[in-house]
Amino acid sequence: MTVHPKFTKSKPVSPKKYPVVLRFKGLWPRDLRRFIFHDLRRGGDLAHVDLGLTDSNRVLCGEDDWDQVIRDEVAQMKQHNFEEHIAALEAKSRKSEADKVEEAGPADPWRASREGPLREGVLTVNKDWFGGGGQAQWKPERVEAFRQTAMSFLLQSFPGGQLRYASLHMDEEALHIHFVVVVWAEKPSANRGHQVLLQPSENPLLRNYELAQDMAGAAFAKIGITRGERRAEARRQARAEGKPLEKKRRHVPPSEWRAEERRKAQKEKKRLHADAVETAKATVEDGRDLAKAAVKKSRKRAIKEAQARKQRAAQETAEAIRLRDAAEKEALQFEKAAAAASSLKLGFETAIGTLMPLAKGYEERAEKALEKFQAKVAERKVEEEKLARINREAEEGKKGLADLRRRECGLVAEVQSLEQHRAQEAAACITAQSARQVAEQKLEDAVTQLQQKVAEAEIISEAIEAGLDLVAEGALLWREETSDRKTGMVWGEAAPKTGDLRAEKRKQIHPAMGMVTRIAQLVARTVKRVLAKQRQKLQDDAEYVRGLREQWEPEAQARLAQISQGTDAGPS
């Protein structure tokens, strides 16, 4: 990762004037390898570099082995100065001093300084002068004009082979030129002989940076680039006039700025990591609270379902009692109907008993009349009127007898109908008694089933409560399927220690194992989702740190390689 904006998202600045930027920095011969290492984009801080454009960088001055040539010169001058020093002392008969110099060995061919005897320089201008941030937005004619003007200025300012190396970097946000200057100065001395030292101050531009800015401004003015602000002159004038001095600006190299940004990022990363750890702990606690809440909620749900089942059983019992009462009522009605039918039958039997003597009387009268008719056949003619009357009476008697017989047949049919109705009532009564027995049996079965269900509900409720306690305590866990393990419930860290205790717990929660398993799955997956987010955040932070480490390691490895080879002690 990088804290730098991409070239395509850079924020352009639009100054009225575009000043030339010329900066120098001290450089030690032992650091030339690191300079080349970074110049060739083989290591170092490359966060601000578009490596896809590195092939367009160009070497404007210097051979392939220019750095080795400088190190060879340093080694040669080191030995040359050493021999000259000894020879000069011996020529003056200062033998003891010559022995001390010889015992100390060759010294570096430069005077002690904090910056180093070589100079590394940067020459550039604001990216907007070229056309924007990145090579894709630069105007080729301005790039070429800057290159020609810069090389002309460098060759004129550092003549006689002082300019050893210059490279044009086109893979960063603004085009710029890196260059290395080596200034050798001859210092003859009676005590030291002909000494040749690295002394940058022998060049006027390196001795006076204000003069270097003036010269650069004059050289680049022809292509529309001006000199930078004259801050040193303004400070001198303010000092002369007794005015408060503006705070002196310090140039912060990009590498130093990026190192500071990395330090801030590292600090922020540690803070984020600590926050993530705290968040993870809080998430775990929330997961535990969530598990306990789920257990509590499931327990309430189980109790509520048991109460609902109990209420349904009570309703079924009440319905069975209602059906039994209805069956008893219906049987009572059937009994009343049977009693009414029996009473009606008795009435019919009484009526038949009353009519039978009348029917017998009519038959006897008819027989007597017939006998009289036969006795008086001889007297028919004499007693025609009497016979006719008798005949009429006989006819009337026959009609009455026929009516009587018809009434008797109707009564018999009614008696048969009553007997049939009574048989039906008896069958209905038997059916009602059977229905009552069936209803009573169903009621007894319902009560038995209700008692069994209540007992099962109590067992399941106790099993659920025990299982949820084990899940909440971490004794039972849900394990997802992996390459070497199957999915299922497993014992956790808080599980009973002995096999007997585990078997007893397993037997206790067996009736509600399905529900406990689903709750454990829910808890495990909920915690897994929450932890996955935190792990992703930690992974992103780790990737960020890994990216920074990959940026730092090449430079650190190059430094360690130099130390192991002894390059810090002198040239190779």
Side-chain angles (χ1 to χ4, degrees), residues 332-373:
L332 183 60
Q333 290 177 354
F334 282 142
E335 289 177 357
K336 288 182 179 180
S342 298
S343 177
L344 184 59
K345 181 180 179 183
L346 291 174
F348 284 136
E349 290 177 348
T350 302
I352 292 171
T354 303
L355 293 174
M356 286 298 292
L358 292 176
K360 290 180 178 179
Y362 283 124
E363 289 178 355
E364 290 176 355
R365 288 173 63 189
E367 290 177 356
K368 288 177 179 181
L370 180 59
E371 289 177 357
K372 287 180 181 180
F373 176 74

Side-chain angles (χ1 to χ4, degrees), residues 80-99 101 187-195:
H80 168 79
N81 294 341
F82 177 67
E83 294 174 355
E84 285 290 321
H85 194 185
I86 294 175
L89 292 175
E90 289 178 347
K92 297 183 70 173
S93 300
R94 297 164 66 175
K95 182 64 176 174
S96 59
E97 293 183 18
D99 292 339
V101 171
K187 300 291 182 179
S189 170
N191 291 329
R192 291 179 175 270
H194 183 266
Q195 297 286 309

